[in-house]
Amino acid sequence: MTLPDAGTINAYRRDGAVLIKGLWTGWVEVIRDGIARNMAEPGPYAAENLKPGEAGRFFDDYCNWERIPEFGRVIRDSGVAQVAAALMGSDRVQMFHDHVLVKEPGTTRPTPWHQDGPYYFVEGMQTVSFWSPVDPVKEASLRCVAGSHLWPREVLPTRWLAETAFYPDPDAYMPVPDPDAEGMTVLEWQMEPGDAVAFHFRTLHGARGNPAAARRRAFSLRLVGDDARYVERPGRTSPPYPGHGMVAGQTLREDWFPFLL
């Protein structure tokens, strides 16, 4: 696997999102097989993200890499940890979780604008997610707001279907913006299977619906670096990881979140 060059690293740290062409070239079929297994054998966090009467299907599930061997192989053997280390400027790379998102043809519901960080119980600037489709993507690609990972306040986390605040103190966060209406710089790429968008946990992002006649299956991987620490949130996080036993300021427990590098 080719490591990112200086221009790519600088763009990631400036914009909070960058396209990595061919990140998982050679692993696409393995990821497809893992997604198929995940959809046939959903985990406890699997969700269907459409309201009654909405067309299509929007499936997501996460935290399955330990029980789905295809995901475990990609995470451990593809060399993605070295790419993450370079982007984050970190000596170590620690697993956080995997995430599958599938929009079947004719799914009009978009993925709402959000930052991942406020949902998580981890803080730190050395973070990266890789969002990689296993189908060619034109209209339904990930959309990221440039520089939003550096905003001084986090964006209000909401429940996707209910559209209500995720935590009981919404005033502690900035309202969810409308990047298109507000003239923000939105990064968006047409992608081929195996390409990946690398983005920071605090980067505001979303995705359009999938009105096309083809599926849009995507695999995401969330990784953290040297400065990542457990943080208390004012409610149940997503993923929740019940019974973890960690305290504020602690590094994530290695037996649950192993080091990949």
Side-chain angles (χ1 to χ4, degrees):
M1 183 175 287
T2 303
L3 294 180
D5 60 23
T8 300
I9 294 170
N10 289 337
Y12 178 75
R13 296 178 188 175
R14 178 191 69 233
D15 296 335
V18 70
L19 179 66
I20 308 289
K21 292 291 293 182
L23 176 73
W24 274 312
T25 297
W27 291 92
V28 173
E29 287 301 325
V30 177
I31 297 172
R32 283 178 180 153
D33 290 345
I35 292 174
R37 187 191 298 266
N38 195 165
M39 297 185 74
E41 305 168 10
Y45 303 128
E48 300 287 348
N49 297 287
L50 297 182
K51 294 180 179 179
E54 291 183 321
R57 185 186 185 192
F58 182 5
F59 168 90
D60 85 300
D61 197 4
Y62 47 73
C63 300
N64 292 297
W65 69 278
E66 291 180 291
R67 71 180 186 88
I68 295 181
E70 292 88 353
F71 294 165
R73 284 179 56 203
V74 171
I75 291 165
R76 292 189 179 96
D77 300 338
S78 68
V80 69
Q82 285 81 2
V83 176
L87 292 172
M88 294 188 295
S90 180
D91 292 327
R92 307 288 310 269
V93 175
Q94 194 170 8
M95 181 68 191
F96 190 41
H97 72 90
D98 59 283
H99 196 173
V100 165
L101 303 107
V102 177
K103 290 185 180 178
E104 299 288 4
T107 303
T108 57
R109 171 168 284 271
T111 304
W113 290 107
H114 66 286
Q115 294 173 320
D116 288 338
Y119 293 89
Y120 297 164
F121 58 39
V122 62
E123 277 191 338
M125 286 305 294
Q126 291 170 306
T127 67
V128 65
S129 292
F130 295 99
W131 185 94
S132 184
V134 295
D135 306 290
V137 172
K138 294 183 179 180
E139 295 86 3
S141 184
L142 196 71
R143 310 182 73 213
C144 298
V145 175
S148 53
H149 64 308
L150 302 176
W151 289 350
R153 295 180 70 199
E154 292 180 315
V155 172
L156 175 70
T158 63
R159 293 177 175 84
W160 285 8
L161 284 185
E163 300 176 356
T164 56
F166 195 78
Y167 298 131
D169 54 348
D171 291 340
Y173 302 89
M174 67 177 284
V176 180
D178 184 340
D180 295 311
E182 297 176 38
M184 297 177 179
T185 300
V186 178
L187 307 175
E188 186 174 10
W189 300 270
Q190 293 188 4
M191 302 173 69
E192 295 298 323
D195 293 347
V197 175
F199 65 101
H200 194 278
F201 284 7
R202 290 188 60 163
T203 297
L204 187 73
H205 63 285
R208 305 180 196 275
N210 182 29
R215 310 178 79 187
R216 194 223 67 181
R217 296 165 292 176
F219 175 72
S220 284
L221 178 62
R222 327 291 192 188
L223 305 172
V224 300
D226 296 334
D227 72 350
R229 297 292 185 272
Y230 174 77
V231 62
E232 295 286 350
R233 296 293 186 188
R236 183 177 185 264
T237 59
S238 177
Y241 289 113
H244 56 73
M246 292 181 290
V247 298
Q250 183 180 349
T251 57
L252 301 187
R253 53 183 296 176
E254 188 175 346
D255 55 338
W256 286 24
F257 306 96
F259 283 98
L260 305 177
L261 188 67

